[in-house]
Amino acid sequence: LIARVIVPFVSQPPLFEGGLAASGVSDILTSFFFSPNTGSSFTWGAGPVMSLPSTAEPTLGTEKWSAGPTSVVLKQAGPWTVGALWNQLWSFSGNVSREDVNQMFVQPFLAYSTQKALTITLQSESVGNFNADDEQWTIPINLLVSKVASFGTFPASYQVGFGGYAVHPEGGPSWKIRGAIVLLLPKRR
Protein backbone atom coordinates (compact mmCIF):
# COMPACT_ATOMS: atom_id res chain seq x y z
CA LEU A 1 0.00 0.00 0.00
CA ILE A 2 1.42 3.37 -1.05
CA ALA A 3 -0.24 6.48 0.40
CA ARG A 4 0.17 9.90 -1.24
CA VAL A 5 -1.16 13.04 0.47
CA ILE A 6 -0.94 16.48 -1.17
CA VAL A 7 -1.62 19.57 0.95
CA PRO A 8 -1.27 22.46 -1.53
CA PHE A 9 -0.57 26.01 -0.36
CA VAL A 10 -1.79 28.30 -3.15
CA SER A 11 -1.18 31.98 -3.79
CA GLN A 12 -3.07 33.65 -6.63
CA PRO A 13 -3.46 37.20 -7.93
CA PRO A 14 -6.89 38.88 -8.11
CA LEU A 15 -9.16 36.95 -10.48
CA PHE A 16 -10.89 40.10 -11.76
CA GLU A 17 -10.33 43.85 -11.78
CA GLY A 18 -10.98 45.22 -8.29
CA GLY A 19 -10.74 41.72 -6.76
CA LEU A 20 -8.38 40.64 -4.01
CA ALA A 21 -5.41 38.30 -4.10
CA ALA A 22 -5.87 35.07 -2.14
CA SER A 23 -3.55 32.56 -0.51
CA GLY A 24 -3.92 29.56 1.74
CA VAL A 25 -4.40 25.81 1.79
CA SER A 26 -6.42 24.39 -1.11
CA ASP A 27 -8.30 21.07 -1.22
CA ILE A 28 -6.27 18.17 0.21
CA LEU A 29 -5.84 15.22 -2.16
CA THR A 30 -5.27 11.73 -0.74
CA SER A 31 -4.46 8.73 -2.93
CA PHE A 32 -3.91 5.08 -2.02
CA PHE A 33 -2.17 2.75 -4.46
CA PHE A 34 -2.24 -1.01 -4.02
CA SER A 35 0.93 -2.16 -5.77
CA PRO A 36 2.33 -5.68 -6.09
CA ASN A 37 5.96 -6.16 -5.09
CA THR A 38 7.32 -7.55 -8.36
CA GLY A 39 11.00 -6.91 -7.64
CA SER A 40 11.42 -5.55 -11.18
CA SER A 41 12.08 -2.10 -12.60
CA PHE A 42 8.42 -1.92 -13.68
CA THR A 43 5.98 -0.64 -11.03
CA TRP A 44 2.25 -0.15 -11.15
CA GLY A 45 -0.49 0.55 -8.65
CA ALA A 46 -4.20 1.34 -8.51
CA GLY A 47 -6.70 2.38 -5.89
CA PRO A 48 -8.96 5.18 -4.65
CA VAL A 49 -8.37 8.95 -4.60
CA MET A 50 -10.29 11.44 -2.44
CA SER A 51 -10.37 15.25 -2.45
CA LEU A 52 -11.25 16.90 0.87
CA PRO A 53 -12.61 20.48 0.91
CA SER A 54 -9.97 22.12 3.09
CA THR A 55 -9.96 25.85 2.46
CA ALA A 56 -11.67 28.81 4.09
CA GLU A 57 -11.11 30.84 0.88
CA PRO A 58 -13.75 29.87 -1.74
CA THR A 59 -11.58 30.81 -4.74
CA LEU A 60 -8.89 28.32 -3.67
CA GLY A 61 -11.02 25.16 -3.57
CA THR A 62 -14.12 23.37 -4.77
CA GLU A 63 -16.03 23.20 -1.44
CA LYS A 64 -16.92 19.65 -2.54
CA TRP A 65 -16.06 16.17 -1.29
CA SER A 66 -14.90 14.16 -4.31
CA ALA A 67 -13.65 10.64 -4.95
CA GLY A 68 -12.76 8.27 -7.77
CA PRO A 69 -10.13 5.86 -9.11
CA THR A 70 -6.39 6.47 -9.51
CA SER A 71 -3.50 4.56 -11.06
CA VAL A 72 0.22 4.91 -11.63
CA VAL A 73 2.68 3.08 -13.86
CA LEU A 74 6.42 3.63 -14.15
CA LYS A 75 9.62 2.02 -15.42
CA GLN A 76 13.10 2.64 -14.09
CA ALA A 77 16.16 1.97 -16.26
CA GLY A 78 19.47 3.12 -14.81
CA PRO A 79 19.22 6.84 -14.05
CA TRP A 80 15.97 7.21 -16.06
CA THR A 81 12.38 6.98 -14.83
CA VAL A 82 9.40 7.25 -17.17
CA GLY A 83 5.73 6.87 -16.32
CA ALA A 84 2.33 8.40 -15.76
CA LEU A 85 -0.14 9.05 -12.96
CA TRP A 86 -3.89 9.32 -13.61
CA ASN A 87 -6.99 9.98 -11.55
CA GLN A 88 -10.65 10.88 -12.06
CA LEU A 89 -12.69 12.75 -9.41
CA TRP A 90 -16.47 13.11 -9.11
CA SER A 91 -18.06 15.10 -6.31
CA PHE A 92 -20.58 13.39 -4.03
CA SER A 93 -21.23 15.98 -1.29
CA GLY A 94 -20.49 19.56 -0.29
CA ASN A 95 -21.69 23.09 -0.97
CA VAL A 96 -24.78 22.73 -3.21
CA SER A 97 -24.31 26.24 -4.60
CA ARG A 98 -20.94 25.25 -6.11
CA GLU A 99 -20.54 23.39 -9.40
CA ASP A 100 -20.14 19.61 -9.16
CA VAL A 101 -16.67 18.15 -9.79
CA ASN A 102 -16.01 15.96 -12.84
CA GLN A 103 -12.26 16.28 -13.25
CA MET A 104 -9.49 14.16 -14.76
CA PHE A 105 -5.80 14.54 -13.88
CA VAL A 106 -3.04 13.12 -16.09
CA GLN A 107 0.66 13.42 -15.17
CA PRO A 108 3.15 11.92 -17.63
CA PHE A 109 6.77 12.27 -16.47
CA LEU A 110 10.37 11.66 -17.54
CA ALA A 111 13.13 12.01 -14.94
CA TYR A 112 16.92 11.70 -14.86
CA SER A 113 18.69 11.14 -11.51
CA THR A 114 22.39 11.68 -10.87
CA GLN A 115 24.57 9.73 -8.45
CA LYS A 116 24.58 12.79 -6.15
CA ALA A 117 20.76 12.48 -5.64
CA LEU A 118 19.90 15.38 -7.97
CA THR A 119 16.90 14.74 -10.24
CA ILE A 120 15.77 16.70 -13.31
CA THR A 121 12.16 16.05 -14.35
CA LEU A 122 10.11 17.06 -17.38
CA GLN A 123 6.39 16.48 -16.80
CA SER A 124 2.88 17.78 -17.20
CA GLU A 125 0.01 18.01 -14.73
CA SER A 126 -2.88 18.18 -17.16
CA VAL A 127 -6.40 18.74 -15.83
CA GLY A 128 -9.62 18.17 -17.74
CA ASN A 129 -12.73 19.86 -16.30
CA PHE A 130 -15.56 17.99 -18.00
CA ASN A 131 -18.25 20.25 -16.53
CA ALA A 132 -16.89 23.24 -18.48
CA ASP A 133 -18.79 24.10 -21.67
CA ASP A 134 -15.56 24.81 -23.53
CA GLU A 135 -11.87 25.27 -22.69
CA GLN A 136 -11.98 22.05 -20.68
CA TRP A 137 -8.22 21.41 -20.54
CA THR A 138 -5.34 23.04 -18.70
CA ILE A 139 -1.99 21.60 -19.85
CA PRO A 140 1.26 22.88 -18.34
CA ILE A 141 4.74 21.72 -19.31
CA ASN A 142 6.97 21.74 -16.21
CA LEU A 143 10.72 21.51 -15.65
CA LEU A 144 11.64 20.54 -12.09
CA VAL A 145 14.92 20.11 -10.22
CA SER A 146 15.00 18.22 -6.91
CA LYS A 147 17.64 17.12 -4.43
CA VAL A 148 17.39 14.47 -1.72
CA ALA A 149 18.71 15.60 1.67
CA SER A 150 17.38 15.44 5.22
CA PHE A 151 14.50 17.18 6.99
CA GLY A 152 15.30 16.64 10.65
CA THR A 153 15.54 12.87 11.10
CA PHE A 154 13.65 12.08 7.86
CA PRO A 155 15.00 11.93 4.32
CA ALA A 156 13.31 14.55 2.13
CA SER A 157 13.26 15.80 -1.44
CA TYR A 158 13.58 19.57 -1.96
CA GLN A 159 12.16 20.72 -5.30
CA VAL A 160 11.99 23.93 -7.36
CA GLY A 161 10.49 24.29 -10.79
CA PHE A 162 8.97 26.41 -13.52
CA GLY A 163 6.14 25.72 -15.94
CA GLY A 164 4.49 27.23 -18.99
CA TYR A 165 0.94 26.44 -20.12
CA ALA A 166 0.57 24.94 -23.60
CA VAL A 167 -3.24 25.03 -23.17
CA HIS A 168 -5.25 27.04 -20.66
CA PRO A 169 -8.68 28.65 -20.36
CA GLU A 170 -8.99 32.32 -21.28
CA GLY A 171 -8.03 34.29 -18.20
CA GLY A 172 -6.15 31.28 -16.83
CA PRO A 173 -2.46 31.24 -15.95
CA SER A 174 0.24 31.30 -18.61
CA TRP A 175 3.14 30.32 -16.29
CA LYS A 176 3.86 29.06 -12.77
CA ILE A 177 6.66 28.50 -10.29
CA ARG A 178 6.81 25.75 -7.70
CA GLY A 179 8.62 24.89 -4.52
CA ALA A 180 8.05 21.66 -2.61
CA ILE A 181 9.40 19.62 0.26
CA VAL A 182 8.50 15.93 0.10
CA LEU A 183 9.08 13.86 3.24
CA LEU A 184 10.11 10.29 2.51
CA LEU A 185 8.87 7.91 5.20
CA PRO A 186 10.66 4.57 4.82
CA LYS A 187 8.99 1.37 5.95
CA ARG A 188 10.18 -0.15 9.21
CA ARG A 189 12.51 -3.07 8.90
Side-chain angles (χ1 to χ4, degrees):
L1 176 65
I2 301 167
R4 181 176 188 243
V5 179
I6 300 173
V7 182
F9 183 84
V10 178
S11 180
Q12 69 184 16
L15 298 176
F16 54 89
E17 191 172 325
L20 298 173
S23 63
V25 173
S26 183
D27 294 345
I28 295 174
L29 189 72
T30 305
S31 304
F32 297 96
F33 300 93
F34 298 95
S35 178
N37 186 359
T38 62
S40 73
S41 63
F42 179 77
T43 303
W44 68 273
V49 61
M50 180 172 254
S51 178
L52 316 169
S54 309
T55 183
E57 174 58 50
T59 62
L60 298 180
T62 63
E63 297 185 349
K64 294 283 192 174
W65 291 84
S66 304
T70 187
S71 63
V72 65
V73 61
L74 64 95
K75 170 120 175 97
Q76 293 180 297
W80 292 96
T81 303
V82 62
L85 172 74
W86 166 86
N87 69 47
Q88 172 68 43
L89 288 169
W90 295 280
S91 57
F92 61 88
S93 183
N95 185 341
V96 295
S97 66
R98 296 291 298 265
E99 186 173 327
D100 285 336
V101 173
N102 179 3
Q103 180 174 288
M104 180 186 291
F105 176 81
V106 181
Q107 182 182 29
F109 52 87
L110 174 66
Y112 179 83
S113 298
T114 70
Q115 292 181 352
K116 298 208 184 261
L118 182 73
T119 302
I120 300 166
T121 304
L122 181 64
Q123 52 102 300
S124 181
E125 296 166 329
S126 301
V127 176
N129 176 0
F130 300 121
N131 286 340
D133 293 332
D134 55 0
E135 299 182 322
Q136 293 182 335
W137 284 95
T138 302
I139 303 175
I141 306 298
N142 306 311
L143 181 62
L144 310 166
V145 178
S146 61
K147 172 81 171 122
V148 174
S150 64
F151 187 85
T153 59
F154 295 105
S157 173
Y158 294 85
Q159 181 186 87
V160 295
F162 176 81
Y165 286 81
V167 176
H168 63 85
E170 184 178 335
S174 57
W175 63 275
K176 67 178 175 175
I177 57 173
R178 162 185 286 170
I181 299 173
V182 178
L183 295 178
L184 307 170
L185 305 174
K187 66 181 179 181
R188 288 188 168 180
R189 297 194 183 260

